[in-house]
């Protein structure tokens, strides 16, 4: 059964074509790829349009609303029973969707391993060791049934960061044990524009995520 792939994008012109290529390389498992350009100021949208691929749908926002709002818009526009996500600066290895769909079987959601890499434009390449390959509880490392996603609810659009931590915490109250794959399903790019966790807005959002999780536990 085809899978809907949701790709939020903000100023990812350097990387988005590689990300899209890794999705399309999954073959017939991809029913549609919905790219949501979140008011980029570079030529990200132009690069997507230039590909002119029949499976790609481009949605363009006029104001930047953040990754949660962009993903929610993509989900609303999608049509398949299975949902997968990929950030526009990362990419998937070959057979990623096939392996995850086979592993999901009768489950509701699944994750695999992630491998980090330094983006080639970082020169000199940093000498700091990369994190080891590990289970990736990230949106881009997940495959989920739409029916399960709808039970959990959408990403919190009020959160600029930590939106997946919040969603994951809600999801575990419904299905506490996602299926886990041993294979790498996501290659996560380290580059200069990666979100910093030191800004005051990010600190406030992570505190908000923690408060929401505590409130949910108290209501059980």
């Amino acid at each position: 059964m085809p899978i809907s792939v949701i790709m939020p994008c903000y100023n990812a012109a350097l990387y988005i074509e590689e990300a899209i290529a890794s999705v399309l390389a999954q073959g017939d498992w991809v029913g549609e790829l919905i790219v949501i350009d979140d008011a980029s100021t570079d030529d990200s949208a132009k690069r997507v349009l230039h590909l002119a691929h029949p499976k790609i749908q481009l949605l363009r926002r006029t104001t930047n609303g953040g990754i949660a709002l962009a993903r929610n818009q993509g989900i609303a526009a999608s049509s398949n029973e299975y949902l997968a996500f990929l950030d526009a600066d990362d990419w998937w290895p070959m057979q990623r969707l096939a392996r995850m769909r086979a592993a999901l079987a009768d489950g509701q959601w699944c994750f695999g391993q992630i491998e980090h890499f330094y983006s080639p434009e970082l020169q000199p390449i940093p000498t700091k060791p990369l994190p080891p390959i590990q289970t990736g509880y990230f949106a881009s490392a997940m495959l989920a049934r739409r029916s399960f996603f709808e039970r959990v609810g959408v990403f919190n659009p009020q959160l600029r960061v930590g939106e997946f931590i919040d969603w994951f915490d809600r999801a575990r109250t419904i299905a506490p044990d996602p299926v886990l794959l041993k294979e790498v399903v996501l290659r996560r790019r380290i580059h200069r524009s990666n979100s910093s966790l030191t800004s005051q807005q990010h600190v406030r959002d992570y505190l908000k995520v923690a408060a929401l999780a505590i409130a949910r536990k108290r209501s059980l």
Side-chain angles (χ1 to χ4, degrees), residues 145-173:
R145 295 180 185 271
R146 178 185 296 276
S147 55
F148 175 68
F149 199 96
E150 289 173 346
R151 290 174 64 197
V152 178
V154 298
F155 297 106
N156 188 336
Q158 297 181 348
L159 299 174
R160 286 279 178 163
V161 297
E163 79 296 327
F164 189 73
I165 298 173
D166 172 74
W167 188 89
F168 182 83
D169 187 65
R170 285 184 278 136
R172 288 186 66 196
T173 65

Side-chain angles (χ1 to χ4, degrees), residues 65-131:
I67 194 168
L69 193 61
R71 284 189 187 134
N72 292 343
Q73 185 174 352
I75 294 164
S78 66
S79 59
N80 291 298
E81 170 54 23
Y82 294 88
L83 297 173
F85 303 87
L86 179 61
D87 293 346
D89 53 354
D90 298 329
W91 58 275
W92 288 340
M94 295 290 291
Q95 301 298 314
R96 184 260 199 200
L97 288 182
R99 292 191 179 102
M100 296 195 79
R101 178 62 187 87
L104 191 57
D106 296 326
Q108 299 300 309
W109 57 327
C110 64
F111 294 88
Q113 308 301 301
I114 63 169
E115 182 179 21
H116 294 80
F117 70 100
Y118 285 120
S119 199
E121 82 273 4
L122 292 178
Q123 296 296 329
I125 295 294
T127 57
K128 181 179 178 180
L130 289 165

Side-chain angles (χ1 to χ4, degrees), residues 132-207:
I133 293 175
Q134 57 194 270
T135 302
Y137 294 112
F138 292 91
S140 294
M142 179 179 73
L143 178 67
R145 295 180 185 271
R146 178 185 296 276
S147 55
F148 175 68
F149 199 96
E150 289 173 346
R151 290 174 64 197
V152 178
V154 298
F155 297 106
N156 188 336
Q158 297 181 348
L159 299 174
R160 286 279 178 163
V161 297
E163 79 296 327
F164 189 73
I165 298 173
D166 172 74
W167 188 89
F168 182 83
D169 187 65
R170 285 184 278 136
R172 288 186 66 196
T173 65
I174 298 173
D177 299 310
V179 177
L180 299 179
L181 279 73
K182 296 180 180 180
E183 294 87 1
V184 171
V185 301
L186 172 67
R187 297 208 70 217
R188 195 160 182 252
R189 185 186 303 267
I190 305 298
H191 56 85
R192 290 190 179 90
S193 299
N194 280 22
S195 295
S196 167
L197 303 183
T198 59
S199 74
Q200 290 302 308
Q201 179 62 49
H202 289 167
V203 170
R204 286 194 295 270
D205 276 357
Y206 275 111
L207 290 174

